[in-house]
Amino acid sequence: MTENPASVVDEETFSVRRTIRIAASVDKVWRAVTEPEHISRWFGRTVLDGAGVGATGTMTFPDYGAIPLRVEACDEPNLIAYRWGNDDAQDARPEVLDPETSTVFTFTLEPIDDGTQLTVVESGFERTSAPLENLESHRTGWDSELDKLVALVEGEV
């Protein structure tokens, strides 16, 4: 599995960023970050009521619950952005996505010589219940989840 640097927190912009390299084609990585059946294999169990901007659904994690989700932007195969109501500092998950308190995570894909460079930026933490706590929680979360993505995509033939 390709070794990648950890996520970084920017407390001034209330964002988390991680850029990784994946030894796989942009098309393969694109499917892994956009198609619910593939997302569900490395992230949370994902259900969307369609595809493209405006599609809504949930992402469910064991022992955590369902998080409302919506596709905010899509420029295939370069960029996809999701809004989700994932405030780790709260005791319960919201049933409905609230743009006033949710964050947005954006995947940007770029072809490189040996595969794909994937950057995720999650922003909007200033609108959450505990911005600094959520920044740190999501920083460690992106490390874990994207490592699973790399292992999955690079392990497939």
Side-chain angles (χ1 to χ4, degrees):
M1 182 172 97
T2 304
E3 292 294 320
N4 284 295
S7 302
V8 294
V9 166
D10 184 335
E11 291 182 7
E12 289 184 21
T13 62
F14 293 96
S15 64
V16 176
R17 171 185 294 272
R18 186 170 189 208
T19 298
I20 62 172
R21 300 171 75 89
I22 305 171
S25 69
V26 167
D27 288 340
K28 190 173 188 179
V29 176
W30 178 256
R31 288 190 304 276
V33 298
T34 61
E35 296 177 3
E37 64 272 19
H38 293 294
I39 298 168
S40 297
R41 294 177 62 202
W42 64 271
F43 208 4
R45 185 174 50 84
T46 303
V47 176
L48 288 172
D49 68 352
V53 176
T56 59
T58 58
M59 187 175 282
T60 305
F61 296 87
D63 303 321
Y64 190 77
I67 301 165
L69 182 73
R70 180 176 66 221
V71 177
E72 293 288 292
C74 184
D75 176 19
E76 184 177 347
N78 306 303
L79 177 142
I80 188 151
Y82 298 94
R83 177 176 296 278
W84 63 348
N86 187 12
D87 188 333
D88 289 343
Q90 297 284 356
D91 291 335
R93 306 303 134 233
E95 291 184 25
V96 178
L97 190 62
D98 180 358
E100 298 299 316
T101 60
S102 56
T103 60
V104 174
F105 62 95
T106 303
F107 293 117
T108 304
L109 291 74
E110 298 176 48
I112 54 176
D113 287 341
D114 57 349
T116 304
Q117 179 173 286
L118 175 72
T119 299
V120 64
V121 176
E122 185 174 2
S123 60
F125 289 96
E126 69 275 14
R127 296 186 303 265
T128 66
S129 66
L132 297 179
E133 181 181 334
N134 281 312
L135 278 166
E136 180 57 23
S137 175
H138 287 234
R139 182 193 67 74
T140 60
W142 285 118
D143 287 349
S144 171
E145 300 302 341
L146 291 180
D147 286 351
K148 288 190 274 185
L149 169 65
V150 172
L152 175 73
V153 173
E154 289 185 353
E156 292 180 350
V157 178

